[in-house]
Amino acid sequence: YPSVMLQYILVDTCGWLKFGETTPTSLAFKQWVKNYVLLNLYGFSFNGDDLWSHRCGLLHMFSSDSRDFASGKARGIALSFESKGLPGLIKLLEEKDSERRTVAMDAEKFTNAVVAASTTFLLELSSSIAIDKDIQERMKKLEQFILLH
């Protein structure tokens, strides 16, 4: 779980860099996921709402449950840490979850998608940083945070 949690933190950071402080974290996260991550994930049935819900559950409660899952706004995500185990997890979910409230996610493929997405984003960012004063300010804040910690 820690590796997936770090991926969610990376998405949060990239979303903040892209959309700034005035955009709520949930919206920045979901938009960044839509614009970058989901383009690199094929064959998965989850969306930005599901990932946000999973992120909140893991980061705030160290659980895959969250308020959005409990209220039905998002589906749960069950993680597979071995690609060969994913078909078995999908079958188990199909047997146990007739309402399809939980979907399976291959943690390694998710990590690869986030890495590819952040690489694409950072290349875009590097070309716009010279002209975008807001991005420059956010990069300075991020640099100061890293240097202080």
Side-chain angles (χ1 to χ4, degrees):
Y1 289 94
S3 64
V4 174
M5 293 168 77
L6 289 172
Q7 298 306 315
Y8 286 142
I9 292 168
L10 177 58
V11 172
D12 280 341
T13 303
C14 290
W16 173 74
L17 285 170
K18 175 81 175 171
F19 300 106
E21 295 166 347
T22 58
T23 302
T25 304
S26 62
L27 293 178
F29 180 97
K30 292 174 189 178
Q31 192 62 45
W32 199 87
V33 162
K34 179 181 176 186
N35 292 351
Y36 296 95
V37 178
L38 294 180
L39 299 175
N40 294 294
L41 282 172
Y42 307 102
F44 289 97
S45 60
F46 49 79
N47 57 38
D49 291 328
D50 301 332
L51 289 169
W52 173 255
S53 174
H54 193 243
R55 169 234 180 256
C56 290
L58 284 181
L59 294 181
H60 298 295
M61 298 175 285
F62 204 69
S63 165
S64 60
D65 292 339
S66 71
R67 289 186 190 114
D68 286 351
F69 174 74
S71 69
K73 291 181 184 177
R75 293 169 294 172
I77 293 178
L79 294 172
S80 173
F81 289 94
E82 296 182 19
S83 294
K84 64 183 178 184
L86 189 62
L89 178 59
I90 292 170
K91 184 178 180 188
L92 178 67
L93 289 173
E94 288 171 351
E95 292 170 0
K96 301 289 184 188
D97 183 16
S98 61
E99 296 176 12
R100 302 286 192 263
R101 291 211 51 224
T102 303
V103 295
M105 180 169 80
D106 182 320
E108 182 179 356
K109 286 184 181 177
F110 177 69
T111 297
N112 292 341
V114 171
V115 168
S118 59
T119 300
T120 299
F121 173 68
L122 290 174
L123 289 172
E124 288 177 14
L125 190 67
S126 67
S127 66
S128 63
I129 195 167
I131 56 173
D132 191 323
K133 300 290 184 205
D134 292 334
I135 291 177
Q136 289 176 9
E137 285 301 314
R138 290 192 292 276
M139 289 297 289
K140 284 180 188 175
K141 286 181 181 181
L142 183 59
E143 181 181 30
Q144 289 171 349
F145 175 79
I146 291 170
L147 291 174
L148 293 172
H149 295 88

